[in-house]
Amino acid sequence: MRKLENTLKHMIGFEYIRILDKLIMYPTTLCNMRAKPMRAKVSIFLVLLVFSHQLSADNLDNTPSNWQQKLETVIQVDISPLKPVEQKTIEDARAKVEALLQSAEPDIKQLASAYGSLGNLYLTHDLYTSADACYSNAIQLAPDHFPWAYYSAYLAQVDGNLQAALPRLEQATELDPEYLPAAYRLAQVNLELNNLDTAYTLFNTLTGDVEFKAAAHNGLGQVFLMKQEYTRAVEHFKQALELAPEATSIHYPLALSLRAAGNKQLAKQHLQQFGKGEIIIKDPLVEALEALKDPASRHFVAAMSAVLKKEYGSAITEFE
């Protein structure tokens, strides 16, 4: 049954599996299914499968035979909840990929770009399973192209799949060591996976950059807090707050560190200042994703072109 469930996940995506998990716990009409949840999933899947056939299939649903060994299938998920202009943008992007797949001698770089761009659209609308398949194909076709590797890693991180995010971010930083947001995210993931020495090294390196200094000191504070080296944690949290006083969320771990270090009075003062403010880092590639939500922008095409050329400064200017 576990093998069958994994097959369903591949066929219809994790989004539908999450829906199935909720449906089988519904307390009325499906109450008799609780004892056999996998049978319930299969039953509901058949209903969804019938519904899914109402969607028009394309060559991304059924990858041409000459590409099946190289590329993942990108299931055509339901996009009806999206705005008409957003649906049209995704449909046009899928059509572009399909046309390239059908051509006798497709340009591999163009095909990789088409898959990556489609992945960006899916990621923008939180359709993670489809986005991940697109990025996987883009990387397969253009393994040295940094943006697709980075977006794939970013997707894994925001989806909470840290075990997948780690090697993807490592690969991305190898492709472009100068893109510091990738190094920062790699430090974050190592911290969350309790790889404290690696996280320390990465955060410490980032303290030398003005734009990342506050975030790096905050990260170092987290490292030493987890190591129970509270005095050093306090030092780094204080530096982070001096550089980014608007980041009021730092007051909480600072208060914890101060309390653990024996300074309960000062800890209480910082706890009272605790808020929701976060340190915001500049990440041109992620900012480019936000711009996808407004495809009618007159600077949209120019900005995305700049991003793909790694002209991040120009991309930001266009998006502004």
Side-chain angles (χ1 to χ4, degrees), residues 271-317:
L271 192 58
Q272 291 173 343
Q273 298 177 69
F274 170 62
K276 297 181 179 180
E278 300 281 354
I279 295 177
I280 305 299
I281 65 167
K282 290 185 178 180
D283 192 337
L285 285 175
V286 173
E287 291 168 14
L289 288 176
E290 290 299 313
L292 287 173
K293 296 178 181 178
D294 182 20
S297 172
R298 63 189 181 90
H299 295 292
F300 173 75
V301 175
M304 286 306 298
S305 177
V307 167
L308 294 178
K309 293 176 182 177
K310 304 204 308 190
E311 297 172 357
Y312 305 126
S314 297
I316 292 175
T317 300

Side-chain angles (χ1 to χ4, degrees), residues 11-286:
M11 292 176 66
I12 63 176
F14 285 92
E15 289 85 1
Y16 281 124
I17 288 295
R18 292 185 185 119
I19 294 172
L20 299 186
D21 286 331
K22 293 180 180 180
L23 283 174
I24 62 172
M25 297 305 295
Y26 192 74
T28 55
T29 57
L30 296 175
C31 61
N32 294 327
M33 295 181 179
R34 290 181 180 178
K36 299 179 179 180
M38 192 57 226
R39 181 177 296 177
K41 288 183 180 180
V42 173
S43 300
I44 301 170
F45 164 67
L46 294 176
V47 176
L48 290 175
L49 186 61
V50 172
F51 168 75
S52 69
H53 277 294
Q54 297 176 11
L55 300 174
S56 58
D58 56 23
N59 274 346
L60 276 70
D61 278 308
N62 302 290
T63 308
S65 57
N66 56 319
W67 291 104
Q68 286 180 359
Q69 298 300 316
K70 298 179 180 179
L71 303 177
E72 292 188 25
T73 299
V74 181
I75 299 298
Q76 184 159 269
V77 295
D78 179 26
I79 58 174
S80 61
L82 303 182
K83 297 177 182 178
V85 66
E86 295 169 338
Q87 295 180 41
K88 178 77 163 52
T89 303
I90 291 177
E91 290 166 357
D92 288 347
R94 284 185 70 94
K96 182 176 181 179
V97 175
E98 181 181 8
L100 288 167
L101 287 173
Q102 289 180 326
S103 58
E105 296 182 2
D107 185 300
I108 299 301
K109 288 184 178 180
Q110 286 186 10
L111 183 57
S113 179
Y115 265 118
S117 298
L118 178 59
N120 286 351
L121 292 171
Y122 281 129
L123 177 55
T124 300
H125 298 293
D126 299 330
L127 298 170
Y128 293 156
T129 302
S130 297
D132 197 48
C134 287
Y135 290 138
S136 177
N137 291 341
I139 294 169
Q140 177 69 23
L141 296 165
D144 296 329
H145 190 62
F146 170 74
W148 308 140
Y150 182 66
Y151 282 135
S152 175
Y154 171 73
L155 183 157
Q157 184 187 21
V158 298
D159 197 30
N161 190 352
L162 301 181
Q163 295 294 342
L166 182 62
R168 295 182 190 186
L169 282 166
E170 289 174 339
Q171 176 64 16
T173 54
E174 288 180 9
L175 290 174
D176 190 351
E178 296 181 3
Y179 192 73
L180 296 185
Y184 177 69
R185 293 187 186 280
L186 180 58
Q188 285 183 312
V189 169
N190 274 287
L191 176 65
E192 293 184 56
L193 290 174
N194 206 34
N195 301 328
L196 300 183
D197 291 337
T198 301
Y200 169 81
T201 300
L202 291 166
F203 281 130
N204 194 52
T205 300
L206 288 167
T207 58
D209 186 271
V210 175
E211 292 185 358
F212 285 86
K213 194 168 186 176
H217 277 297
N218 184 45
L220 288 170
Q222 297 285 352
V223 169
F224 288 116
L225 178 58
M226 292 177 70
K227 284 188 172 186
Q228 299 183 356
E229 297 182 29
Y230 302 117
T231 301
R232 297 185 71 179
V234 167
E235 293 173 358
H236 286 290
F237 285 135
K238 284 185 174 180
Q239 289 185 68
L241 271 173
E242 288 176 4
L243 293 165
E246 72 281 359
T248 53
S249 61
I250 298 175
H251 286 288
Y252 183 73
L254 175 54
L256 291 180
S257 302
L258 285 165
R259 183 179 178 85
N263 196 335
K264 295 183 179 180
Q265 186 60 37
L266 190 55
K268 184 177 180 181
Q269 293 177 19
H270 280 284
L271 192 58
Q272 291 173 343
Q273 298 177 69
F274 170 62
K276 297 181 179 180
E278 300 281 354
I279 295 177
I280 305 299
I281 65 167
K282 290 185 178 180
D283 192 337
L285 285 175
V286 173

